[in-house]
Every structure is written in C-alpha cells, then in structure tokens.
Amino acid sequence: KYIQWISNYDYLYLKLSYFILYLKINKYLSFDFDRLTIYSLLNFFFINEIYFNISLGAKKMVVQRTLSIIKPDATRRNLTGAINQKLENAGLRIIAQKRIKLSKEQAGIFYLVHKERPFYDELCSFMASEPIVVQVLEGEDAISSNRKVMGATNPVEADDGTIRKEFALSIGENSVHGSDGETTAAFEISYFFSGLEMV
Ligand code: ADP
Ligand code: MG
C-alpha cells in the first residue's frame, strides 16, 4: 500500500515540477518553487485524498492478513497440499505455516466466541483430536478472499469449487477455518504466531 503511495507521490512530484516549469517558461510565474513547497502542495492533495476520498487515479490496495486452519478431518486425509493449492490459486500467499496439535483447553480459548453455542464442546474436542495446520495468509482483501474460497460453513450450501464443497465431510468437520474480520484475524494470528514467524 505504502509502496504504491510513494511511487504515486514521486510521479505527482514530477508532474507538478513540469507544470511549474511550464508556467515559468510562459511567464505566468515569476518566482521559483523549492522542493519543499512542491511537497507541501502534494501533501495537501494527499490529505484531501485521505479525508475526502478524492481519487488521484491510484488503485487502492488493501493488503490484509488472515488466520487459516486446516482442520483435523483434512490433515487426516492428506489434504494439506490440495487445500494450499486452492488458497494459492485464490491469490493468497502463505506467509507462515506450522503443524501443531492443540489441547482441548487451547482449542477452547481459540473458539471462546462460540462458548454459548450448542456445538462448542463437540467443536473443541474435534479441533484437539488430531494435528492441525495453522497458517497466516496474506493478500489483497485476504480476509474476504479466504472466506470466499473456503465456502459456506455447511458444505451442502457451499459454492462449487470452494474448499468446503470439495473436501468437507459435514458442517462440523468442514476442513478449514478462516478469520471472519479484522479484529478476529488480529487475535487469531497472535494466538499462534509471533511477528518473526511471518515472512
Ligand atoms: P465458520 O467456520 O464458517 O466461520 P462458525 O464460526 O459459525 O463457522 O462456526 C465455527 C465452526 O464450528 C465451524 O467451522 C464448524 O466446524 C463448527 N460448527 C458450526 N456450526 C455447527 C453445527 N451446527 N454443528 C456442529 N458444528 C458446527
Ligand atoms: Mg467463524
């Protein structure tokens, strides 16, 4: 995102410099602009772009990170590679990944938001039953692109081509987990990974 901004910034700096040069050559301007003044002018446009959402023609990229889990039903059937292929085909980059086995308590904390749901106990036992693969995915709108390639919670309702449509066994044993928003993504990533592990 910032790289995109910086290159736009340089591009606009160049444009504005040429424009000022043009004004000077044609005697519309008698005084010179220094670099700082030109940057101040640019800052003004960028602040407007941020606050009033005036587009300067740059495509805004929202690079996000999201937590993904390949659940026990999938690791047991050797589907890790096939699922990763689907994630990568969806434009998601696996920037961290490890195979671990959760205790029921650890699964319980991870799924604390569901503690009032009737399937909470069953879900925690399932997640702790066999190894899982936890991973951090990065990409443009990673949270929603991952949810899209995962498919609906219930595989019967999942769209064709999605991971759950192809691999899930049931609404409970549905092969993958994916964060459902920015706040949950931040919590879930930090639950399994340190910053140094994401590259
Ligand atoms: P999602 O994983 O699509 O975000 P939820 O957050 O609603 O779905 O539920 C978390 C997980 O709990 C599901 O992925 C699934 O493994 C399990 N689950 C959800 N609904 C049920 C259900 N009715 N019966 C058994 N397990 C369920
Ligand atoms: Mg969920």
Side-chain angles (χ1 to χ4, degrees):
K1 183 174 169 188
Y2 291 109
I3 288 166
Q4 181 97 23
W5 272 31
I6 288 161
S7 59
N8 270 323
Y9 211 88
D10 282 347
Y11 174 73
L12 284 173
Y13 174 79
L14 215 67
K15 281 268 183 189
L16 204 57
S17 304
Y18 279 130
F19 181 59
I20 288 164
L21 195 68
Y22 166 84
L23 292 178
K24 271 171 34 189
I25 289 167
N26 290 285
K27 312 255 186 295
Y28 296 121
L29 261 185
S30 52
F31 53 97
D32 211 347
F33 276 82
D34 60 5
R35 204 179 165 82
L36 212 69
T37 317
I38 297 174
Y39 271 124
S40 307
L41 278 167
L42 281 184
N43 268 328
F44 174 77
F45 288 123
F46 271 90
I47 285 165
N48 276 321
E49 170 154 350
I50 295 159
Y51 288 107
F52 305 111
N53 210 13
I54 297 164
S55 176
L56 292 175
K59 185 177 175 287
K60 289 240 183 65
M61 297 205 302
V62 185
V63 174
Q64 289 179 328
R65 288 177 176 183
T66 187
L67 186 92
S68 161
I69 302 179
I70 302 177
K71 293 183 177 182
D73 68 280
T75 57
R76 191 199 326 135
R77 289 176 290 150
N78 282 354
L79 290 172
T80 302
I83 289 172
N84 281 352
Q85 187 66 70
K86 284 211 176 275
L87 297 173
E88 290 187 338
N89 287 348
L92 294 157
R93 188 185 303 280
I94 303 162
I95 61 165
Q97 173 169 265
K98 59 192 171 192
R99 185 175 151 99
I100 57 173
K101 188 168 183 303
L102 292 179
S103 67
K104 200 175 167 186
E105 289 69 31
Q106 289 168 333
I109 294 167
F110 180 77
Y111 276 120
L112 217 52
V113 285
H114 294 310
K115 74 173 186 300
E116 307 301 339
R117 311 270 287 270
F119 54 82
Y120 179 66
D121 193 69
E122 177 195 334
L123 175 62
C124 296
S125 302
F126 165 59
M127 292 301 284
S129 66
E130 274 174 276
I132 57 173
V133 173
V134 288
Q135 44 192 198
V136 181
L137 310 177
E138 187 180 81
E140 226 175 302
D141 295 321
I143 297 170
S144 65
S145 351
N146 182 40
R147 296 291 312 190
K148 212 170 149 203
V149 70
M150 284 166 64
T153 309
N154 188 346
V156 175
E157 290 158 15
D159 289 339
D160 285 343
T162 60
I163 294 169
R164 282 166 167 173
K165 178 74 173 196
E166 258 169 60
F167 305 123
L169 300 175
S170 64
I171 189 168
E173 303 202 11
N174 56 7
S175 305
V176 280
H177 165 87
S179 311
D180 61 9
E182 285 185 26
T183 318
T184 43
F187 162 72
E188 292 177 0
I189 290 170
S190 69
Y191 193 65
F192 293 111
F193 294 98
S194 86
L196 287 171
E197 292 175 297
M198 295 177 258
V199 287

